[in-house]
Amino acid sequence: MSATVKSEVRSQTREEPARRVRTEWVSSLVELGVASSLWVLTLSRVDVRAMTDLGLVSVLPWTAWAALALMAFSFARALGRRTSPGWLLTGYPLALCALVFSTPPILYGVPRYSWAWKHAGIVDFIDRTGAVDPQVDVLSVYHSWPGFFAANAMLSDLAGFDTSLSYAAWAEPLLNLLALAAVLALIRAFTTDARTIAVGGWLFVLGNWVGQGYFSPQGINYVWYLIVLTVLLRWFPGRPAPSAPDLGAARRVGLCAVVLLLLVSIVSTHQLTPVITLLVLVALVVLRQTSLRSLPFFMVVVLGAWVLYVAEPFTRTELREALSEVGTVGSNLESTLIGYGTASAGQVLVSLSTRVFTLVFCLMAALGLLTSLRSGRRDRAALVLAVVPFLMVGFSTYGNEVLFRAYLFAMPGLAFFAACLLWPPGTPAVRRRAALVGVVTVPLMVGSGLAQFGNDRQYHFSPEEVAAAEFVYDNAPPDSLLIEGSRNYPSQFRNYERFTYVPINREDPEDIQRILDDPERVMTRWMSDTDTYRASYLIITRSQVDATTALGEIPGDGLLGIEAALRSSPGFRVVFENRDATVFELATAAGGEAP
């Protein structure tokens, strides 16, 4: 054989593996693109008005589940290939995150969760007045921790938006993608195995059902929390690893400045995040997992100064109640449970499924921890992240959400240990191991869907409900009384401090029953107080009805019974109406005679 022929043979031999690798990469990208396209196309067939008490999963067609199954199958195939690069593997959790959390703004067009609208109301207040008012009667806590709202007021002005609602709906995919990116970088502090990192990110997306990554102070503070941990554990570990980057003095100072700035931002933006951050920092320093050992002292000084001085008007009245919850672990846990005796069957199923899903996820993390210990790994920093946030259960109920918030903050550590169970660091590309990831992913997707979107029948708002709320805020004079079926509708997003709000579902059970027995008499008495209020309105919307019915907050015919009684009464007049909302006022308010 001639030298030329031998050279051509060697060249072809080298090119064939490279060609095969490129083909495998293209195949994965095509599969990922098909799954993503199928999901997006499926959303055009979803009728959100047909949702049941099982939420969004009740109206997803089979093509949506096929898209998720295809993505899981493609991810497993990529994991099983030795040639799959890290960027391709991490692309899967990023794509899944983008699809899942872009679904609400695509389907609903406006922010879900009533609190997102209230947050926009604080931004509106700051934009109008140029200041905060800690003495305001409604939502005063936000005026004591205004960092998020002040930043958005500035952003709205700079971008030329009339209101932060112009972009608030898209905060959900943005904040969740930022959180995932930070988690992927954080897991790299525990292992350099690209497959373990990718599986950890994948599980983080599936396990992140708590729903705090929306237009909220918690959403952005969670990102800041993750970035702080990433910087500490990757660039300032307790014992520098051989693979740790060699930082110069200037970069060390710069990174320290970033950490300090983020900690100040965390303290000024939210009430719970600084406490959990402090607990985690203390644990990391005590266990010598970071070299920045003065950070807990810095955090104590900044947090103490903020609570005792800046937020003093709020803490002066609320501190005693907060201290009374310290140590009451049992009651703090019980406060997170819904009333199973009054909730609808669908909501009970969603609640139970969410809790089972969470327990399974934590069990996977525990088994992953045992796997790591048996292999000789001592992931102390990851253990701190997975365990320490749950200490908050002994400190507060935090609005009946403390257990879920603790789970949210523990998610990075839990996701890493769960990934260690499915793909221990150092495991080569093995098809059987990849198949296991795919098989486990499918039921996790179903559980995650129920947990993430199981309450969307009441969490999403239609354009008709928004129109009704805008009518009220456009026409109600200052010092008006706004009676609401519940607070679960788009409210308090404009000039919110000018009104008094009375949600019916928050009245004592005896008072709710009196309203149901004679809605006309009770509402007439409430709405005829002209000495206190310049005008009075009663707002009943679809989401209010769905929420109070699903949770069993108002018995019998509930808000629909109240609406029917007032419609048939000559003492009330409908001033606004569409298929999803009705706004009443007293007939005498329009110049008529008293009934």
Side-chain angles (χ1 to χ4, degrees):
M1 184 182 295
S2 66
T4 302
V5 173
K6 290 181 179 180
S7 176
E8 291 178 355
V9 170
R10 284 195 299 268
S11 177
Q12 292 175 358
T13 303
R14 288 193 300 268
E15 289 179 359
E16 285 178 2
R19 187 180 301 113
R20 185 171 63 252
V21 169
R22 288 194 297 269
T23 301
E24 291 175 349
W25 292 4
V26 171
S27 174
S28 293
L29 292 174
V30 168
E31 292 166 357
L32 189 56
V34 170
S36 302
S37 300
L38 182 59
W39 177 268
V40 173
L41 291 174
T42 294
L43 296 183
S44 63
R45 299 172 50 199
V46 173
D47 180 8
V48 296
R49 301 189 68 85
M51 267 192 274
T52 69
D53 281 348
L54 295 180
L56 187 59
V57 295
S58 65
V59 292
L60 288 178
W62 68 268
T63 49
W65 299 108
L68 293 177
L70 175 59
M71 183 172 289
F73 169 77
S74 181
F75 181 50
R77 286 223 312 163
L79 287 171
R81 295 187 181 123
R82 290 178 299 172
T83 57
S84 296
W87 64 264
L88 178 61
L89 296 175
T90 55
Y92 280 91
L94 289 169
L96 179 64
C97 182
L99 289 183
V100 169
F101 294 106
S102 293
T103 294
I106 291 175
L107 285 180
Y108 310 145
V110 297
R112 63 172 179 161
Y113 305 126
S114 61
W115 285 106
W117 296 78
K118 294 174 176 60
H119 297 159
I122 306 297
V123 176
D124 169 73
F125 181 98
I126 295 175
D127 192 41
R128 284 185 289 109
T129 65
V132 295
D133 182 7
Q135 307 292 341
V136 71
D137 292 334
V138 184
L139 302 179
S140 59
V141 62
Y142 291 141
H143 291 262
S144 295
W145 279 269
F148 171 81
F149 310 106
N152 275 278
M154 181 175 66
L155 175 62
S156 296
D157 286 343
L158 292 176
F161 293 122
D162 293 332
T163 169
S164 57
L165 290 171
S166 301
Y167 58 86
W170 288 97
E172 193 165 357
L174 174 62
L175 292 177
N176 280 285
L177 279 169
L178 289 175
L180 173 60
V183 166
L184 290 170
L186 178 58
I187 295 177
R188 193 173 293 276
F190 310 139
T191 178
T192 57
D193 190 305
R195 284 167 175 77
T196 305
I197 294 171
V199 173
W202 182 262
L203 293 175
F204 176 80
V205 176
L206 295 177
N208 186 16
W209 63 264
V210 180
Q212 291 303 309
Y214 68 107
F215 185 70
S216 65
Q218 178 70 96
I220 191 61
N221 255 22
Y222 188 54
V223 175
W224 296 157
Y225 167 81
L226 294 172
I227 293 175
V228 167
L229 295 180
T230 300
V231 173
L232 293 185
L233 297 178
R234 287 196 61 182
W235 287 284
F236 298 96
R239 295 180 179 178
S243 59
D246 184 18
L247 297 176
R251 289 186 179 181
R252 290 180 63 85
V253 171
L255 285 173
C256 286
V258 169
V259 169
L260 296 180
L261 181 62
L262 291 178
L263 290 179
V264 172
S265 178
I266 287 173
V267 169
S268 66
T269 304
H270 200 241
Q271 308 86 53
L272 181 66
T273 309
V275 179
I276 293 182
T277 303
L278 177 59
L279 291 174
V280 172
L281 289 179
V282 169
L284 291 175
V285 169
V286 169
L287 295 177
R288 298 181 180 275
Q289 298 302 300
T290 178
S291 59
L292 296 182
R293 297 174 184 172
S294 60
L295 282 184
F297 300 101
F298 173 82
M299 193 69 175
V300 167
V301 171
V302 176
L303 180 58
W306 193 275
V307 170
L308 296 177
Y309 293 98
V310 180
E312 187 270 339
F314 180 83
T315 55
R316 183 177 63 246
T317 59
E318 300 294 330
L319 185 59
R320 179 176 298 178
E321 180 179 352
L323 291 176
S324 68
E325 296 176 351
V326 175
T328 57
V329 178
S331 61
N332 292 348
L333 286 174
E334 290 177 5
S335 68
T336 64
L337 303 177
I338 68 171
Y340 289 116
T342 57
S344 68
Q347 283 295 280
V348 170
L349 177 59
V350 169
S351 178
L352 290 175
S353 299
T354 300
R355 282 149 181 78
V356 170
F357 173 82
T358 305
L359 288 174
V360 169
F361 201 93
C362 292
L363 179 60
M364 290 175 57
L367 293 175
L369 172 60
L370 292 177
T371 300
S372 294
L373 292 176
R374 288 175 181 173
S375 66
R377 293 176 59 89
R378 297 293 183 267
D379 299 301
R380 293 182 179 178
L383 186 60
V384 167
L385 304 191
V387 174
V388 169
F390 286 104
L391 296 179
M392 277 304 301
V393 175
F395 287 86
S396 171
T397 65
Y398 197 74
N400 302 333
E401 295 180 357
V402 66
L403 184 59
F404 301 147
R405 298 295 182 97
Y407 168 79
L408 172 69
F409 281 92
M411 269 299 301
L414 296 175
F416 168 70
F417 285 120
C420 289
L421 175 66
L422 298 181
W423 205 289
T427 302
V430 181
R431 291 185 178 180
R432 285 180 298 178
R433 179 72 66 174
L436 174 64
V437 174
V439 170
V440 171
T441 289
V442 174
L444 286 181
M445 281 182 168
V446 176
S448 179
L450 274 173
Q452 177 68 241
F453 299 113
N455 295 315
D456 266 31
R457 186 180 185 185
Q458 60 258 30
Y459 284 166
H460 91 279
F461 308 122
S462 66
E464 290 82 1
E465 291 179 275
V466 176
E470 288 179 337
F471 169 84
V472 171
Y473 287 99
D474 286 341
N475 292 276
D479 299 321
S480 290
L481 171 65
L482 303 185
I483 303 173
E484 309 157 320
S486 83
R487 288 181 175 171
N488 190 70
Y489 78 110
S491 68
Q492 300 182 8
F493 56 87
R494 185 190 308 157
N495 301 324
Y496 88 95
E497 78 283 358
R498 300 178 182 178
F499 311 110
T500 298
Y501 305 88
V502 179
I504 294 174
N505 70 318
R506 296 201 176 191
E507 295 293 302
D508 292 333
E510 299 82 5
D511 293 329
I512 291 178
Q513 190 57 52
R514 292 190 188 99
I515 296 172
L516 296 176
D517 292 340
D518 193 347
E520 181 181 359
R521 180 180 63 82
V522 176
M523 289 299 107
T524 298
R525 177 166 56 84
W526 285 12
M527 299 174 69
S528 59
D529 185 1
T530 55
D531 292 335
T532 306
Y533 307 109
R534 291 179 59 189
S536 297
Y537 299 87
L538 169 63
I539 307 106
I540 297 178
T541 71
R542 176 208 57 81
S543 57
Q544 293 176 9
V545 172
D546 288 343
T548 55
T549 302
L551 299 177
E553 295 175 329
I554 302 179
D557 293 332
L559 294 178
L560 293 178
I562 297 174
E563 180 180 353
L566 299 188
R567 280 183 179 276
S568 61
S569 169
F572 293 85
R573 170 174 92 103
V574 174
V575 294
F576 184 91
E577 181 180 18
N578 57 40
R579 64 177 178 172
D580 284 341
T582 306
V583 181
F584 293 95
E585 69 174 2
L586 286 174
T588 53
E593 297 181 358

